[in-house]
Amino acid sequence: MERQRPVADRHGRRPHRLSPAGAGPVRLAALAGWVAFAATVPNLLLQVPAGLVADTVNRRTLMLVAQAAGLIATAAVLLATATDLRATAIVLVVAAVIEGSAFVFFIIAEVGAVRDVVDEHSNPALGRIVSAAAVITDGAVPIGALAGGCLLAATSPESTAHILLIAMLAAALLCTRYLRPAPHPVTEGAS
């Protein structure tokens, strides 16, 4: 007779659906590392090609195609997980590459589209916000992923979540402080 997989172990935990029943936390952590790596690599390699494409094609169309590619990748992961596909780990890694690539193309096209709409000379405050958003997306996203992985490896997941939340709140406070538009002087006789 074939032995069936238990629904829950003696501690009440259920086996994870993304891996075989015998896979432990080390194997799942390795899979999470591969997925994070696969999502980050396109951000490092596709910045210049995405800029060239964004400058040559319609930016709105490029943004829609990038969103559609991300949606298809996410749907593939959902389908693989729902059907308990044996190759779910491979689907996760491939979807991470597709989603990371789509993210790069979308962000580059978005910055160009916003710059087309916002005239930095007539409204300097909006120009500063656009510039800050570009710096945040180009620099903070890969740095944040690297810092989050290092924190997770060095501390517990709960501590990592607390540290990252505090860092995001501090960044939001700094952004509101330095990106606030200058106050307009009040003139007499103005109603």
Side-chain angles (χ1 to χ4, degrees):
M1 285 199 154
E2 186 178 321
R3 189 171 162 206
Q4 291 188 352
R5 207 165 64 175
V7 175
D9 65 5
R10 62 187 173 117
H11 301 291
R13 294 180 299 220
R14 293 183 166 191
H16 201 279
R17 294 190 67 178
L18 297 180
S19 63
V26 172
R27 186 166 177 190
L28 292 176
L31 175 61
W34 279 110
V35 170
F37 175 75
T40 305
V41 167
N43 201 4
L44 300 173
L45 299 178
L46 295 178
Q47 293 282 332
V48 173
L52 292 172
V53 171
D55 287 341
T56 57
V57 301
N58 184 347
R59 290 187 177 111
R60 183 174 186 269
T61 304
L62 180 60
M63 291 167 67
L64 289 172
V65 168
Q67 286 293 318
L71 177 66
I72 291 169
T74 303
V77 170
L78 181 66
L79 184 64
T81 305
T83 60
D84 204 14
L85 185 66
R86 286 188 178 262
T88 302
I90 295 170
V91 172
L92 274 171
V93 172
V94 170
V97 169
I98 293 170
E99 180 64 37
S101 301
F103 173 77
V104 171
F105 279 91
F106 182 88
I107 290 297
I108 297 293
E110 179 187 37
V111 170
V114 170
R115 287 190 186 276
D116 289 344
V117 174
V118 175
D119 182 21
E120 294 180 30
H121 300 293
S122 66
N123 194 339
L126 285 177
R128 287 197 310 261
I129 291 172
V130 170
S131 297
V135 168
I136 288 169
T137 55
D138 291 344
V141 171
I143 292 170
L146 178 65
C150 291
L151 281 172
L152 193 57
T155 64
S156 68
E158 294 83 16
S159 298
T160 301
H162 290 129
I163 292 168
L164 291 177
L165 180 63
I166 290 168
M168 284 189 283
L169 289 173
L173 287 173
L174 287 173
C175 286
T176 57
R177 165 72 176 105
Y178 292 108
L179 296 177
R180 189 178 307 152
H184 297 311
V186 178
T187 58
E188 292 193 31
S191 52

